[in-house]
Amino acid sequence: MLELHDLVKHYQVGAGEPIRAVDGVSMRIARGELVALYGPSGSGKTTLLELIAGLRAPDSGSVLVEGRDVVTMSRAEGDEYRLHQLGIVGQPQNLIPGAKAIQNASLKLLMLGVRSAPRRIEPLLGQLGLGDRLHHRTEQLSMGERQRVLIALALSTDPKLVLADEPTGNLDTQLTRDVLGLLRDLCREREMALLLATHDPQVAMFADRVYELRDGRLEAYTPDRESVAAVSPSPGV
């Protein structure tokens, strides 16, 4: 589904050595697979996701989504790719203040001109446990509920590739487990490839594979499971 081949992105800051944010990264993610990208802030995780999303151009390498190279897309093709094929799970502060949950979750469908967007997104919000919160405004939702609205927004166009950048960064331990469990289940149910960037080792308990981005290169990451509570997520967020 997603294939990265020798992806490189360096940044020159001043006269010193370039920052090797992404330095020869190769990776494959299949449908129905959740892969976690672990690393501290500033390790290059967000840069890698932006390269996959076509929001930044790499210095070299390729990003293949169902065999099509994102790197060679025109601006119009890139916009179409992000609108139709790609889902991006943002963070709660990305929601529109004052808007209802169903309005926030319908934004991509509205951009596509789907007149029945709210009606179309309602079953997904119900599946995410927000059936009785559809008309609550952003400020009336808990952090966990806001995160689920963002998941609904990302999945509204039924993408086969989803990127999530620190989706649990603002949540407590239990809500983190709940959201991760939800993403894992939706990944398998919808047969989508999901790449999740995080600095939280707890994510490893939910991922099929975990990599660490270190000095711009991918390394296999094995968490200390004694330090990570291996418990199943609770049913609600």
Side-chain angles (χ1 to χ4, degrees):
M1 174 35 169
L2 172 66
E3 297 182 27
L4 308 182
H5 296 285
D6 299 318
L7 206 57
V8 173
K9 183 65 178 180
H10 296 171
Y11 296 99
Q12 187 66 50
V13 179
E17 287 292 317
I19 298 172
R20 302 177 184 275
V22 178
D23 196 27
V25 168
S26 296
M27 176 196 300
R28 290 187 180 187
I29 306 179
R31 288 177 182 267
E33 189 174 27
L34 193 163
V35 174
L37 184 62
Y38 176 74
S41 298
S43 63
K45 304 187 304 298
T46 297
T47 296
L48 181 57
L49 294 188
E50 290 176 344
L51 293 173
I52 296 170
L55 297 172
R56 290 182 185 271
D59 298 330
S60 61
S62 60
V63 178
L64 302 181
V65 178
E66 294 190 317
R68 190 179 181 193
D69 194 348
V70 175
V71 175
T72 61
M73 289 180 179
S74 66
R75 177 175 295 183
E77 289 172 333
D79 290 341
E80 189 80 1
Y81 157 66
R82 285 182 289 275
L83 194 56
H84 289 273
Q85 294 178 270
L86 181 66
I88 300 177
V89 180
Q91 298 182 1
Q93 59 265 34
N94 299 139
L95 293 176
I96 299 173
K100 298 176 181 178
I102 198 167
Q103 293 172 325
N104 268 308
S106 300
L107 286 177
K108 287 185 74 175
L109 293 174
L110 291 171
M111 291 175 66
L112 290 171
V114 179
R115 293 184 179 180
S116 58
R119 188 163 62 251
R120 181 168 165 180
I121 200 68
E122 188 172 341
L124 178 57
L125 288 168
Q127 183 183 1
L128 293 171
L130 294 171
D132 60 347
R133 308 290 281 176
L134 301 179
H135 300 287
H136 284 66
R137 302 187 185 279
T138 298
E139 296 77 10
Q140 297 172 312
L141 300 173
S142 70
M143 293 300 289
E145 289 168 340
R146 295 181 195 185
Q147 194 64 65
R148 282 183 283 165
V149 171
L150 288 164
I151 293 172
L153 173 61
L155 302 186
S156 61
T157 56
D158 197 25
K160 294 307 177 186
L161 173 62
V162 175
L163 306 177
D165 190 3
E166 301 284 3
T168 61
N170 296 309
L171 305 182
D172 62 28
T173 300
Q174 187 57 55
L175 286 177
T176 292
R177 292 170 181 157
D178 293 341
V179 168
L180 290 174
L182 185 59
L183 284 171
R184 178 191 60 192
D185 293 344
L186 288 169
C187 177
R188 293 172 180 171
E189 176 186 323
R190 290 175 167 245
E191 294 187 336
M192 60 189 187
L194 197 161
L195 178 60
L196 190 156
T198 183
H199 65 271
D200 186 351
Q202 189 173 198
V203 172
M205 307 307 299
F206 296 84
D208 297 299
R209 285 181 287 132
V210 185
Y211 293 101
E212 182 174 10
L213 195 60
R214 183 184 295 272
D215 298 326
R217 294 182 175 274
L218 283 186
E219 300 178 1
Y221 175 72
T222 303
D224 178 4
R225 290 180 177 259
E226 292 182 357
S227 65
V228 179
V231 297
S232 299
S234 62
V237 181

